[in-house]
């Protein structure tokens, strides 16, 4: 098992305190993409990332889009014979609310117990930043990199990456790369480096049910006017059968059997269902009959209610027949389900099951394709060696239940293989209060990525 080169390791060790200070500065910017009151912060984070790329020795520019800006960094000094890699990450974060549940404030980074707490620490500023520092280590310690590099950092990942595919399409020639590398996911367990074999896709909907023109007295009208909350409950109840299978006709048509080798790998992973249940803080686990927890999370599609709103929800009782009801419903998708096809199926299904006496509309909010990795080839081999060098242990192949919508676009538009190596950990509280990133993983992650560029530079040149 090779080691991370001593010069890169020494550079990162020497500059450890400064690197941490800089990361804290980035984490202090509340770049919440979902909230327009934070637009100036999001723009500031984009400029900050661009400047950190320049400080590392790359050229960098900030590009306005119809939404939040895209940052592009470039270093092309390795020449035409060397491979070109594209690193993707996102500098936007999820809203930090409910703020009162944070042990220390969301935008005041704090280390406790080897964990760096802050919104965006692991998703994804910390992981984006460790890439910037890995590049810096090469460029400052050696004056060059063994590969040409493009860094693409976006500010809309947490709201569906609406403008990113268009940006990649419009700049496809400039962004042409032999490989795409992304750190926006987690390792399977502490000390166990992981390469992702799949991501689920997403089709996100809002269902609005309109009943009477305004709220009504539930005594004067109840029983004679269709109740939109009950109508919505009926609609939602049709989405699964008694075995937890999605009952929307045609929903599974494009779902294919999982690669037998990946399934076998999955069965060998050290996974304890009771530990998972306890960590989720849920009284019990549940889901589609006939599948293990990991199979349910990684290989099977879902339909989940993400939000529900209707009627009186304040203190005490109010006898009211609500005028309307609303649900946010998202479906996680697996290869080869197509978000547009699922949208059509969902709309047809809801129209079919909607009770009479209310008006039901289904709006598609955003979507993304599922993705499956190529688990062979020089990019994959280089990643295995680099992770082993930094973590002292061979990586495992894992799957993922979450989504990174742009991954499918990279493959489609650039035709480049995508490598997902993340340095988060189970229980990291991404999207929740007390989000954290392991300091050890940040440190080793920088070294693993620095080693990856060495490995790719010395491999056969082109990676596809
Ligand atoms: N970093 C996550 C993706 C992810 C989730 C990786 C869980 C590993 C585990 C990413 O920032 C994310 O949250 N994606 C959203 C995408 C959505 C808003 C389109 C998701 O999965 O909900
Ligand atoms: Zn996220």
């Amino acid at each position: 098992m090779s080691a991370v080169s001593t010069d890169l390791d020494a550079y990162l060790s020497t500059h450890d305190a400064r690197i941490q200070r800089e990361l804290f500065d980035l984490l202090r910017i509340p770049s919440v993409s979902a909230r327009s009151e934070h637009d100036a912060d999001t723009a500031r984070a984009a400029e900050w990332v661009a400047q950190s790329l320049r400080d590392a020795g790359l050229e960098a520019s900030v590009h306005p889009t119809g939404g939040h800006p895209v940052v592009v960094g470039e270093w092309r000094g390795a020449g035409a014979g060397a491979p070109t890699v594209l690193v993707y990450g996102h500098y936007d974060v999820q809203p930090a609310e409910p703020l009162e549940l944070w042990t220390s404030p969301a935008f005041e980074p704090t280390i406790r117990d080897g964990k760096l707490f802050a919104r965006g620490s692991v998703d994804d500023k910390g992981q984006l930043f460790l890439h910037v520092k890995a590049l810096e280590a090469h460029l400052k310690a050696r004056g060059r990199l063994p590969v040409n590099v493009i860094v693409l950092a976006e500010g809309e990942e947490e709201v569906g990456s609406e403008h990113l595919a268009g940006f990649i399409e419009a700049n496809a020639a400039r962004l042409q790369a032999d490989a795409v590398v992304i750190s926006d996911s987690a390792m399977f367990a502490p000390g166990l480096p992981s390469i992702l074999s799949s991501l689920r896709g997403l089709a996100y909907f809002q269902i609005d049910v309109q009943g009477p023109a305004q709220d009504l007295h539930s005594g004067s009208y109840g029983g004679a006017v269709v109740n939109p909350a009950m109508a919505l409950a009926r609609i939602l109840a049709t989405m699964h059968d008694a075995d937890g299978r999605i009952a929307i006709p045609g929903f599974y048509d494009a779902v294919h059997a999982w690669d037998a080798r990946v399934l076998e790998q999955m069965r060998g992973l050290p996974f304890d269902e009771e530990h998972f249940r306890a960590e989720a803080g849920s009284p019990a686990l549940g889901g589609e009959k006939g599948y293990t927890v990991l199979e349910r999370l990684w290989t099977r599609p879902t339909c989940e209610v993400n939000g529900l709103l209707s009627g009186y929800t304040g203190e005490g009782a109010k006898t009211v027949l609500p005028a309307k009801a609303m649900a946010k419903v998202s479906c996680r998708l697996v290869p080869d389900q197509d978000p547009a096809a699922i949208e059509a199926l969902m709309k047809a299904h809801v129209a079919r099951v909607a009770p009479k006496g209310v008006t039901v509309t289904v709006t598609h909010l955003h979507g993304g394709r599922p993705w499956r990795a190529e688990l062979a080839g020089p990019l994959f081999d280089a990643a295995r060696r680099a992770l082993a060098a930094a973590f002292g242990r061979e990586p495992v192949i894992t799957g993922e239940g979450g989504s990174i919508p742009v991954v499918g676009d990279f493959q489609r538009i650039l035709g480049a293989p995508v490598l997902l190596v993340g340095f988060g950990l189970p229980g990291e509280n991404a999207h929740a209060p007390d989000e954290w990133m392991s300091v050890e993983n940040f440190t080793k992650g920088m070294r693993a990525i620095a080693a990856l560029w060495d490995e790719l530079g010395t491999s056969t040149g082109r990676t596809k």
Side-chain angles (χ1 to χ4, degrees):
M1 199 174 283
S2 62
V4 179
S5 286
T6 23
D7 57 337
L8 302 174
D9 185 57
Y11 178 88
L12 292 169
S13 298
T14 306
H15 296 276
D16 193 53
R18 171 179 60 83
I19 289 170
Q20 190 174 97
R21 269 200 312 277
E22 291 174 3
L23 175 57
F24 275 37
D25 285 343
L26 175 58
L27 293 172
R28 282 194 192 97
I29 307 174
S31 46
V32 181
S33 49
R35 296 275 159 75
S36 52
E37 73 259 30
H38 284 298
D39 283 359
D41 297 315
T42 307
R44 189 152 56 91
E47 292 295 343
W48 194 100
V49 170
Q51 189 55 44
S52 80
L53 288 164
R54 289 181 202 116
D55 294 344
L58 291 86
E59 284 176 12
S61 45
V62 177
H63 303 263
T65 67
H68 298 298
V70 170
V71 181
V72 178
E74 284 167 285
W75 188 87
R76 296 184 186 270
T84 299
V85 297
L86 186 149
V87 173
Y88 161 85
H90 63 96
Y91 64 82
D92 65 320
V93 299
Q94 288 275 329
E97 288 81 6
L99 300 179
E100 67 280 9
L101 296 185
W102 286 77
T103 307
S104 48
F107 296 105
E108 287 176 27
T110 310
I111 294 177
R112 292 189 299 275
D113 237 355
K115 296 171 176 173
L116 167 53
F117 289 88
R119 170 58 84 233
S121 55
V122 71
D123 185 9
D124 174 43
K125 285 172 171 173
Q127 301 204 64
L128 170 62
F129 193 62
L130 71 82
H131 274 272
V132 178
K133 294 294 115 172
L135 295 171
E136 180 187 304
H138 277 271
L139 290 170
K140 300 291 177 193
R142 298 178 182 166
R144 66 184 313 281
L145 272 153
V147 291
N148 300 301
V149 174
I150 306 163
V151 177
L152 185 69
E154 71 152 322
E156 299 190 305
E157 197 275 346
E158 298 293 8
V159 287
S161 299
E162 193 188 332
H163 299 92
L164 193 60
F167 182 88
I168 298 169
E169 257 155 15
N171 295 278
R174 181 176 174 192
L175 299 176
Q176 205 55 55
D178 299 298
V180 177
V181 178
I182 303 177
S183 299
D184 188 21
S185 54
M187 306 202 315
F188 191 73
L192 198 55
S194 309
I195 298 176
L196 265 192
S197 68
S198 61
L199 287 167
R200 287 196 289 192
L202 196 65
Y204 202 123
F205 305 97
Q206 178 167 324
I207 303 177
D208 287 284
V209 180
Q210 179 69 51
Q214 73 284 313
D215 286 1
L216 299 172
H217 190 295
S218 71
S220 311
Y221 295 90
V225 170
V226 179
N227 182 314
M230 293 303 295
L232 178 58
R234 279 180 176 279
I235 293 168
L236 296 175
T238 65
M239 290 193 183
H240 296 87
D241 68 14
D243 289 334
R245 220 180 126 81
I246 295 158
I248 298 171
F251 195 88
Y252 291 92
D253 285 358
V255 177
H256 299 305
W258 218 251
D259 184 321
R261 284 166 313 160
V262 178
L263 280 178
E264 197 183 306
Q265 251 274 147
M266 201 184 297
R267 293 194 184 107
L269 290 170
F271 185 76
D272 177 48
E273 296 200 353
E274 172 50 24
H275 180 82
F276 175 81
R277 183 205 65 74
E279 186 192 78
S282 175
L285 296 176
E288 192 180 354
K289 199 170 164 185
Y291 295 91
T292 66
V293 170
L294 288 184
E295 285 167 354
R296 287 172 179 167
L297 290 173
W298 297 350
T299 75
R300 302 298 295 167
T302 66
C303 259
E304 298 277 10
V305 174
N306 298 123
L308 207 48
L309 195 68
S310 185
Y312 181 70
T313 56
E315 192 183 350
K318 179 185 182 193
T319 46
V320 65
L321 193 158
K324 52 190 174 187
M326 185 275 280
K328 307 261 185 188
V329 174
S330 68
C331 303
R332 295 282 170 176
L333 310 179
V334 300
D336 291 316
Q337 288 178 300
D338 171 27
I342 295 297
E343 177 187 349
L345 294 176
M346 173 65 87
K347 286 182 169 168
H349 175 74
V350 172
R352 211 167 27 243
V353 300
K356 289 198 171 49
V358 287
T359 309
V360 181
T361 43
V362 179
T363 312
H364 180 248
L365 298 183
H366 61 68
R369 287 172 186 280
W371 169 81
R372 201 185 332 240
E374 291 170 35
L375 294 174
L379 176 63
F380 179 72
D381 293 340
R384 284 180 64 153
R385 290 194 300 268
L387 288 167
F391 285 86
R393 194 160 169 188
E394 280 291 319
V396 291
I397 308 299
T398 66
E400 180 50 64
S403 311
I404 307 176
V406 72
V407 171
D409 297 323
F410 279 132
Q411 216 137 357
R412 178 174 57 84
I413 304 167
L414 302 179
V418 183
L419 170 74
L420 274 133
V421 279
F423 302 102
L425 281 179
E428 68 198 5
N429 297 328
H431 295 202
D434 281 351
E435 174 181 350
W436 55 269
M437 175 159 193
S438 146
V439 175
E440 181 186 328
N441 279 15
F442 179 82
T443 305
K444 290 187 173 164
M446 281 191 292
R447 285 159 174 83
I449 297 299
L452 176 62
W453 304 143
D454 273 347
E455 293 289 351
L456 268 182
T458 55
S459 71
T460 50
R462 305 199 72 76
T463 59
K464 58 171 185 182

